[in-house]
Amino acid sequence: MITGLESESAKEKSQFIGIRNWLCKIFPTINVSGTLRHLLLTATDLVEFEEKSESVVTRYLKRLQWLLSGSREIFGTIVDKKCVFLIDISGSMEDRMEDLRKKLILLIWEQLHKYKIRFNLIKFSKTCERWRPSIVEPSDENCQEAVHWVTQLQASGNTCTLEALQMAFQETDLDAIYLLTDGKPDSSFSLVLQELKSLNLESRVTINTISFNCADSTANEFLQTMAHENRGRYHSTIEKSFDVHLFAHQLIEGRFEDPQLPIMPEFGGDDLKRLAKEIAKGRKYIAQSRTYRRMFEELKKVNEEVVPSHDCMSSSDFKSDSANVSKAKRPISAKP
């Protein structure tokens, strides 16, 4: 979008002085932190850039809204076709079981049934229990039975995460495991990760982890490590106080005037973090373009009244300099 001379070498400065002065003839200039810069886009180009950038960021915002709706708010997007879901129902989950049951039912109909994803469910606390002996087709009957099983889930006991993972690996035909938990396992972190390396050495099953309302940073780091070491994604639930629809509305209605407000929360999950990064980058570029356009418009008004403070080449100098550049570009003959 902008260019300028930043070389610290005096030789390089002298070599590019002609090009710099030539740019002064062609492109509008602005002062950025005391350095003269040439805008490589006109004011009209900047307006078009802003409009297209706004369109892209708006699409990102709609994607963010979609990712934070329905079952995706908890489980993210299920991208595998043969999956086992490990559901933590330890005692610490008691206050959140009603919400979890609702999201699991949504998951069954909204993603597993709709996208023909074969699945099985395993609940774990002090012991582990499968819903079915092995993964099944997402037929109407199977999904209805899975919903009934989910409605009976009750929280109690400890968190035997390792045993649940071991049970999941007993599946003979499996693409991915989705582990949902709200805290630390009964076993040590290192033991769980080491056992997973052994279990997943040949099968190479993708392990995705879901931090369900977990505020323990060490437990969340453990879940991130587990997912990333096993080609999976880490997902975490966000604060209930964040209204993604209001956030998107404020940005779009405000035409992205402020690159900082409204403030986007710090997402922990991989998908949301990447998307939030792109949205923040887009907001920054839009604000930058508008700033340069305002600076150029202000400078244009000033230039109508005063002579520019930097030297520009005359047309004859430009022709002479262009000839020198052309000579420099000619290939050197092999003959003397």
Side-chain angles (χ1 to χ4, degrees), residues 53-99:
S53 296
E54 285 180 24
S55 176
V56 170
V57 176
T58 299
R59 291 180 65 181
Y60 284 156
L61 287 169
K62 290 179 179 178
R63 177 73 176 179
L64 183 67
Q65 290 176 301
W66 183 77
L67 284 173
L68 290 174
S69 63
S71 62
R72 290 176 294 272
E73 180 184 3
I74 304 296
F75 296 93
T77 306
I78 309 303
V79 298
D80 305 283
K81 289 299 182 182
K82 292 172 283 188
C83 307
V84 172
F85 296 86
L86 310 183
I87 312 301
D88 181 355
I89 58 166
S90 58
S92 58
M93 294 282 290
E94 186 172 4
D95 294 338
R96 308 180 185 91
M97 284 305 298
E98 182 178 356
D99 185 36

Side-chain angles (χ1 to χ4, degrees), residues 77-239:
T77 306
I78 309 303
V79 298
D80 305 283
K81 289 299 182 182
K82 292 172 283 188
C83 307
V84 172
F85 296 86
L86 310 183
I87 312 301
D88 181 355
I89 58 166
S90 58
S92 58
M93 294 282 290
E94 186 172 4
D95 294 338
R96 308 180 185 91
M97 284 305 298
E98 182 178 356
D99 185 36
L100 177 58
R101 284 192 288 264
K102 290 179 180 178
K103 296 300 183 184
L104 279 167
I105 293 170
L106 274 176
L107 171 70
I108 291 167
W109 292 113
E110 189 178 60
Q111 298 200 61
L112 306 184
H113 181 268
K114 182 178 180 179
Y115 298 113
K116 308 301 181 186
I117 299 170
R118 298 173 61 196
F119 70 101
N120 200 0
L121 307 171
I122 296 176
K123 62 180 181 180
F124 65 96
S125 54
K126 61 182 178 181
T127 59
C128 306
E129 181 183 330
R130 290 189 185 92
W131 165 56
R132 289 289 180 85
S134 60
I135 60 175
V136 298
E137 295 290 339
S139 64
D140 290 350
E141 182 181 356
N142 284 336
C143 288
Q144 288 169 359
E145 290 183 10
V147 167
H148 178 73
W149 187 82
V150 165
T151 60
Q152 307 302 311
L153 294 177
Q154 298 294 328
S156 65
N158 300 324
T159 312
C160 61
T161 305
L162 178 56
E163 290 77 1
L165 287 163
Q166 290 169 333
M167 181 176 285
F169 272 98
Q170 292 173 10
E171 292 279 358
T172 56
D173 188 16
L174 184 62
D175 290 337
I177 294 170
Y178 287 79
L179 167 66
L180 180 145
T181 183
D182 72 338
K184 298 177 180 179
D186 292 343
S187 308
S188 69
F189 294 160
S190 58
L191 177 61
V192 175
L193 295 175
Q194 187 61 39
E195 182 66 15
L196 276 179
K197 284 183 180 180
S198 176
L199 288 169
N200 211 13
L201 184 62
E202 295 183 0
S203 55
R204 297 182 64 80
V205 171
T206 298
I207 300 179
N208 305 285
T209 57
I210 303 156
S211 171
F212 188 66
N213 293 324
C214 178
D216 188 325
S217 60
T218 57
N220 287 331
E221 288 174 7
F222 160 68
L223 292 174
Q224 288 181 45
T225 301
M226 184 191 300
H228 297 163
E229 286 186 354
N230 292 276
R231 299 163 297 284
R233 294 172 295 142
Y234 167 73
H235 191 76
S236 65
T237 52
I238 65 169
E239 296 180 6

